[in-house]
mmCIF file of all heavy atoms in Angstrom:
data_model
loop_
_atom_site.group_PDB
_atom_site.id
_atom_site.type_symbol
_atom_site.label_atom_id
_atom_site.label_comp_id
_atom_site.label_asym_id
_atom_site.label_seq_id
_atom_site.Cartn_x
_atom_site.Cartn_y
_atom_site.Cartn_z
ATOM 1 N N VAL A 1 29.485 -14.716 -11.270
ATOM 2 C CA VAL A 1 28.235 -15.165 -10.654
ATOM 3 C C VAL A 1 27.375 -13.949 -10.319
ATOM 4 O O VAL A 1 27.860 -12.963 -9.761
ATOM 5 C CB VAL A 1 28.526 -15.988 -9.373
ATOM 6 C CG1 VAL A 1 27.233 -16.335 -8.651
ATOM 7 C CG2 VAL A 1 29.300 -17.253 -9.745
ATOM 8 N N VAL A 2 26.105 -14.019 -10.670
ATOM 9 C CA VAL A 2 25.174 -12.926 -10.382
ATOM 10 C C VAL A 2 24.974 -12.813 -8.878
ATOM 11 O O VAL A 2 24.594 -13.782 -8.212
ATOM 12 C CB VAL A 2 23.820 -13.155 -11.077
ATOM 13 C CG1 VAL A 2 22.856 -12.023 -10.728
ATOM 14 C CG2 VAL A 2 24.011 -13.252 -12.584
ATOM 15 N N LYS A 3 25.232 -11.636 -8.342
ATOM 16 C CA LYS A 3 25.106 -11.402 -6.909
ATOM 17 C C LYS A 3 23.715 -10.852 -6.579
ATOM 18 O O LYS A 3 23.097 -10.183 -7.406
ATOM 19 C CB LYS A 3 26.173 -10.412 -6.429
ATOM 20 C CG LYS A 3 27.606 -10.913 -6.582
ATOM 21 C CD LYS A 3 28.602 -9.892 -6.060
ATOM 22 C CE LYS A 3 30.034 -10.377 -6.241
ATOM 23 N NZ LYS A 3 30.305 -11.557 -5.398
ATOM 24 N N MET A 4 23.271 -11.129 -5.357
ATOM 25 C CA MET A 4 22.021 -10.560 -4.890
ATOM 26 C C MET A 4 22.185 -9.053 -4.750
ATOM 27 O O MET A 4 23.137 -8.559 -4.142
ATOM 28 C CB MET A 4 21.626 -11.162 -3.537
ATOM 29 C CG MET A 4 20.312 -10.618 -2.969
ATOM 30 S SD MET A 4 18.879 -10.974 -4.028
ATOM 31 C CE MET A 4 17.574 -10.125 -3.141
ATOM 32 N N GLY A 5 21.243 -8.320 -5.360
ATOM 33 C CA GLY A 5 21.284 -6.869 -5.285
ATOM 34 C C GLY A 5 20.435 -6.334 -4.154
ATOM 35 O O GLY A 5 20.120 -7.045 -3.192
ATOM 36 N N CYS A 6 20.062 -5.069 -4.280
ATOM 37 C CA CYS A 6 19.213 -4.405 -3.286
ATOM 38 C C CYS A 6 17.880 -4.079 -3.956
ATOM 39 O O CYS A 6 17.861 -3.431 -5.011
ATOM 40 C CB CYS A 6 19.904 -3.140 -2.786
ATOM 41 S SG CYS A 6 19.035 -2.316 -1.441
ATOM 42 N N ILE A 7 16.774 -4.518 -3.372
ATOM 43 C CA ILE A 7 15.479 -4.416 -4.046
ATOM 44 C C ILE A 7 14.922 -2.995 -4.004
ATOM 45 O O ILE A 7 14.583 -2.412 -5.038
ATOM 46 C CB ILE A 7 14.450 -5.398 -3.426
ATOM 47 C CG1 ILE A 7 14.942 -6.845 -3.598
ATOM 48 C CG2 ILE A 7 13.091 -5.217 -4.098
ATOM 49 C CD1 ILE A 7 14.038 -7.880 -2.929
ATOM 50 N N LEU A 8 14.787 -2.421 -2.812
ATOM 51 C CA LEU A 8 14.179 -1.097 -2.652
ATOM 52 C C LEU A 8 12.876 -1.031 -3.439
ATOM 53 O O LEU A 8 11.970 -1.814 -3.197
ATOM 54 C CB LEU A 8 15.173 -0.010 -3.060
ATOM 55 C CG LEU A 8 16.429 0.090 -2.177
ATOM 56 C CD1 LEU A 8 17.470 1.010 -2.782
ATOM 57 C CD2 LEU A 8 16.047 0.578 -0.780
ATOM 58 N N ASP A 9 12.765 -0.100 -4.433
ATOM 59 C CA ASP A 9 11.533 -0.006 -5.224
ATOM 60 C C ASP A 9 11.701 -0.657 -6.598
ATOM 61 O O ASP A 9 10.986 -0.340 -7.541
ATOM 62 C CB ASP A 9 11.104 1.455 -5.387
ATOM 63 C CG ASP A 9 12.183 2.332 -6.021
ATOM 64 O OD1 ASP A 9 13.307 1.831 -6.234
ATOM 65 O OD2 ASP A 9 11.908 3.510 -6.293
ATOM 66 N N GLY A 10 12.645 -1.612 -6.695
ATOM 67 C CA GLY A 10 12.874 -2.288 -7.964
ATOM 68 C C GLY A 10 11.852 -3.350 -8.303
ATOM 69 O O GLY A 10 11.842 -3.868 -9.418
ATOM 70 N N PHE A 11 10.982 -3.675 -7.349
ATOM 71 C CA PHE A 11 9.944 -4.685 -7.577
ATOM 72 C C PHE A 11 8.593 -4.084 -7.238
ATOM 73 O O PHE A 11 8.355 -3.642 -6.108
ATOM 74 C CB PHE A 11 10.204 -5.918 -6.708
ATOM 75 C CG PHE A 11 9.150 -6.990 -6.828
ATOM 76 C CD1 PHE A 11 9.063 -7.775 -7.966
ATOM 77 C CD2 PHE A 11 8.237 -7.198 -5.804
ATOM 78 C CE1 PHE A 11 8.085 -8.755 -8.079
ATOM 79 C CE2 PHE A 11 7.269 -8.182 -5.901
ATOM 80 C CZ PHE A 11 7.183 -8.969 -7.043
ATOM 81 N N SER A 12 7.717 -4.053 -8.224
ATOM 82 C CA SER A 12 6.366 -3.529 -8.011
ATOM 83 C C SER A 12 5.451 -4.645 -7.526
ATOM 84 O O SER A 12 5.417 -5.730 -8.132
ATOM 85 C CB SER A 12 5.824 -2.948 -9.321
ATOM 86 O OG SER A 12 4.508 -2.454 -9.142
ATOM 87 N N GLU A 13 4.714 -4.398 -6.447
ATOM 88 C CA GLU A 13 3.936 -5.453 -5.795
ATOM 89 C C GLU A 13 2.891 -6.090 -6.712
ATOM 90 O O GLU A 13 2.546 -7.267 -6.540
ATOM 91 C CB GLU A 13 3.261 -4.906 -4.529
ATOM 92 C CG GLU A 13 4.247 -4.624 -3.408
ATOM 93 C CD GLU A 13 3.545 -4.259 -2.109
ATOM 94 O OE1 GLU A 13 2.303 -4.245 -2.098
ATOM 95 O OE2 GLU A 13 4.252 -3.992 -1.118
ATOM 96 N N HIS A 14 2.389 -5.344 -7.695
ATOM 97 C CA HIS A 14 1.355 -5.937 -8.556
ATOM 98 C C HIS A 14 1.895 -7.124 -9.355
ATOM 99 O O HIS A 14 1.138 -7.992 -9.781
ATOM 100 C CB HIS A 14 0.778 -4.886 -9.517
ATOM 101 C CG HIS A 14 1.633 -4.593 -10.708
ATOM 102 N ND1 HIS A 14 2.734 -3.763 -10.658
ATOM 103 C CD2 HIS A 14 1.572 -5.039 -11.993
ATOM 104 C CE1 HIS A 14 3.292 -3.693 -11.849
ATOM 105 N NE2 HIS A 14 2.617 -4.455 -12.677
ATOM 106 N N MET A 15 3.229 -7.197 -9.507
ATOM 107 C CA MET A 15 3.814 -8.258 -10.314
ATOM 108 C C MET A 15 3.766 -9.622 -9.633
ATOM 109 O O MET A 15 3.933 -10.652 -10.286
ATOM 110 C CB MET A 15 5.251 -7.891 -10.691
ATOM 111 C CG MET A 15 5.330 -6.675 -11.608
ATOM 112 S SD MET A 15 7.008 -6.268 -12.142
ATOM 113 C CE MET A 15 7.324 -7.565 -13.343
ATOM 114 N N MET A 16 3.532 -9.651 -8.323
ATOM 115 C CA MET A 16 3.484 -10.930 -7.617
ATOM 116 C C MET A 16 2.225 -11.732 -7.960
ATOM 117 O O MET A 16 2.132 -12.912 -7.649
ATOM 118 C CB MET A 16 3.581 -10.707 -6.103
ATOM 119 C CG MET A 16 2.344 -10.085 -5.478
ATOM 120 S SD MET A 16 2.455 -9.977 -3.667
ATOM 121 C CE MET A 16 3.847 -8.875 -3.456
ATOM 122 N N TYR A 17 1.259 -11.099 -8.629
ATOM 123 C CA TYR A 17 0.001 -11.780 -8.940
ATOM 124 C C TYR A 17 -0.006 -12.400 -10.337
ATOM 125 O O TYR A 17 -1.049 -12.872 -10.801
ATOM 126 C CB TYR A 17 -1.158 -10.797 -8.795
ATOM 127 C CG TYR A 17 -1.260 -10.222 -7.400
ATOM 128 C CD1 TYR A 17 -0.938 -8.890 -7.153
ATOM 129 C CD2 TYR A 17 -1.625 -11.023 -6.326
ATOM 130 C CE1 TYR A 17 -0.999 -8.359 -5.872
ATOM 131 C CE2 TYR A 17 -1.683 -10.504 -5.034
ATOM 132 C CZ TYR A 17 -1.377 -9.166 -4.824
ATOM 133 O OH TYR A 17 -1.427 -8.652 -3.553
ATOM 134 N N PHE A 18 1.139 -12.407 -11.010
ATOM 135 C CA PHE A 18 1.225 -12.980 -12.342
ATOM 136 C C PHE A 18 2.029 -14.271 -12.314
ATOM 137 O O PHE A 18 2.752 -14.560 -11.359
ATOM 138 C CB PHE A 18 1.862 -11.967 -13.306
ATOM 139 C CG PHE A 18 0.969 -10.807 -13.636
ATOM 140 C CD1 PHE A 18 0.855 -9.729 -12.764
ATOM 141 C CD2 PHE A 18 0.227 -10.790 -14.803
ATOM 142 C CE1 PHE A 18 0.029 -8.655 -13.051
ATOM 143 C CE2 PHE A 18 -0.603 -9.724 -15.107
ATOM 144 C CZ PHE A 18 -0.703 -8.658 -14.230
ATOM 145 N N ASP A 19 1.882 -15.069 -13.372
ATOM 146 C CA ASP A 19 2.575 -16.344 -13.504
ATOM 147 C C ASP A 19 4.081 -16.141 -13.343
ATOM 148 O O ASP A 19 4.649 -15.200 -13.899
ATOM 149 C CB ASP A 19 2.273 -16.934 -14.890
ATOM 150 C CG ASP A 19 2.718 -18.383 -15.017
ATOM 151 O OD1 ASP A 19 3.880 -18.681 -14.668
ATOM 152 O OD2 ASP A 19 1.917 -19.215 -15.476
ATOM 153 N N GLU A 20 4.737 -17.048 -12.604
ATOM 154 C CA GLU A 20 6.165 -16.918 -12.332
ATOM 155 C C GLU A 20 7.005 -16.817 -13.597
ATOM 156 O O GLU A 20 8.041 -16.161 -13.615
ATOM 157 C CB GLU A 20 6.661 -18.094 -11.494
ATOM 158 C CG GLU A 20 6.270 -18.010 -10.032
ATOM 159 C CD GLU A 20 7.028 -19.007 -9.161
ATOM 160 O OE1 GLU A 20 7.900 -19.733 -9.710
ATOM 161 O OE2 GLU A 20 6.767 -19.054 -7.944
ATOM 162 N N LYS A 21 6.578 -17.468 -14.669
ATOM 163 C CA LYS A 21 7.377 -17.435 -15.889
ATOM 164 C C LYS A 21 7.340 -16.051 -16.550
ATOM 165 O O LYS A 21 8.144 -15.750 -17.431
ATOM 166 C CB LYS A 21 6.898 -18.485 -16.885
ATOM 167 C CG LYS A 21 5.532 -18.221 -17.489
ATOM 168 C CD LYS A 21 5.107 -19.329 -18.429
ATOM 169 C CE LYS A 21 3.735 -19.042 -19.035
ATOM 170 N NZ LYS A 21 3.273 -20.141 -19.912
ATOM 171 N N ARG A 22 6.395 -15.194 -16.086
ATOM 172 C CA ARG A 22 6.239 -13.864 -16.678
ATOM 173 C C ARG A 22 6.754 -12.734 -15.791
ATOM 174 O O ARG A 22 6.940 -11.617 -16.254
ATOM 175 C CB ARG A 22 4.749 -13.601 -16.953
ATOM 176 C CG ARG A 22 4.141 -14.500 -17.999
ATOM 177 C CD ARG A 22 4.597 -14.094 -19.371
ATOM 178 N NE ARG A 22 4.052 -14.934 -20.423
ATOM 179 C CZ ARG A 22 4.384 -14.824 -21.698
ATOM 180 N NH1 ARG A 22 5.265 -13.921 -22.066
ATOM 181 N NH2 ARG A 22 3.859 -15.624 -22.596
ATOM 182 N N THR A 23 6.985 -13.041 -14.525
ATOM 183 C CA THR A 23 7.258 -11.961 -13.573
ATOM 184 C C THR A 23 8.530 -12.219 -12.777
ATOM 185 O O THR A 23 9.137 -13.293 -12.861
ATOM 186 C CB THR A 23 6.071 -11.787 -12.611
ATOM 187 O OG1 THR A 23 6.265 -10.620 -11.811
ATOM 188 C CG2 THR A 23 5.901 -12.993 -11.715
ATOM 189 N N PHE A 24 8.955 -11.212 -12.015
ATOM 190 C CA PHE A 24 10.103 -11.377 -11.135
ATOM 191 C C PHE A 24 9.716 -12.220 -9.920
ATOM 192 O O PHE A 24 8.602 -12.107 -9.401
ATOM 193 C CB PHE A 24 10.603 -10.013 -10.634
ATOM 194 C CG PHE A 24 10.943 -9.033 -11.725
ATOM 195 C CD1 PHE A 24 10.480 -7.727 -11.668
ATOM 196 C CD2 PHE A 24 11.741 -9.401 -12.797
ATOM 197 C CE1 PHE A 24 10.794 -6.806 -12.656
ATOM 198 C CE2 PHE A 24 12.063 -8.493 -13.793
ATOM 199 C CZ PHE A 24 11.584 -7.198 -13.722
ATOM 200 N N VAL A 25 10.655 -13.039 -9.462
ATOM 201 C CA VAL A 25 10.454 -13.820 -8.233
ATOM 202 C C VAL A 25 11.630 -13.484 -7.315
ATOM 203 O O VAL A 25 12.734 -14.028 -7.472
ATOM 204 C CB VAL A 25 10.410 -15.330 -8.517
ATOM 205 C CG1 VAL A 25 10.152 -16.087 -7.210
ATOM 206 C CG2 VAL A 25 9.343 -15.658 -9.547
ATOM 207 N N PRO A 26 11.422 -12.563 -6.368
ATOM 208 C CA PRO A 26 12.543 -12.127 -5.520
ATOM 209 C C PRO A 26 13.198 -13.280 -4.767
ATOM 210 O O PRO A 26 12.528 -14.166 -4.247
ATOM 211 C CB PRO A 26 11.887 -11.136 -4.555
ATOM 212 C CG PRO A 26 10.709 -10.618 -5.314
ATOM 213 C CD PRO A 26 10.201 -11.796 -6.097
ATOM 214 N N SER A 27 14.522 -13.241 -4.735
ATOM 215 C CA SER A 27 15.290 -14.246 -4.011
ATOM 216 C C SER A 27 15.150 -14.031 -2.510
ATOM 217 O O SER A 27 14.937 -12.912 -2.036
ATOM 218 C CB SER A 27 16.764 -14.133 -4.410
ATOM 219 O OG SER A 27 17.582 -14.913 -3.570
#
């Protein structure tokens, strides 16, 4: 089972403005 990792700088904020099917959606 995929475990929740640690985000830190793994997610760039500009990606939240794109369609969910194209971008990361943090758990």
Side-chain angles (χ1 to χ4, degrees):
V1 174
V2 178
K3 296 181 181 294
M4 180 62 184
C6 186
I7 298 176
L8 295 170
D9 57 354
F11 177 73
S12 179
E13 289 187 1
H14 79 280
M15 294 183 74
M16 71 175 63
Y17 301 109
F18 289 81
D19 192 310
E20 284 193 3
K21 69 182 180 182
R22 294 286 179 185
T23 188
F24 304 133
V25 182
S27 169

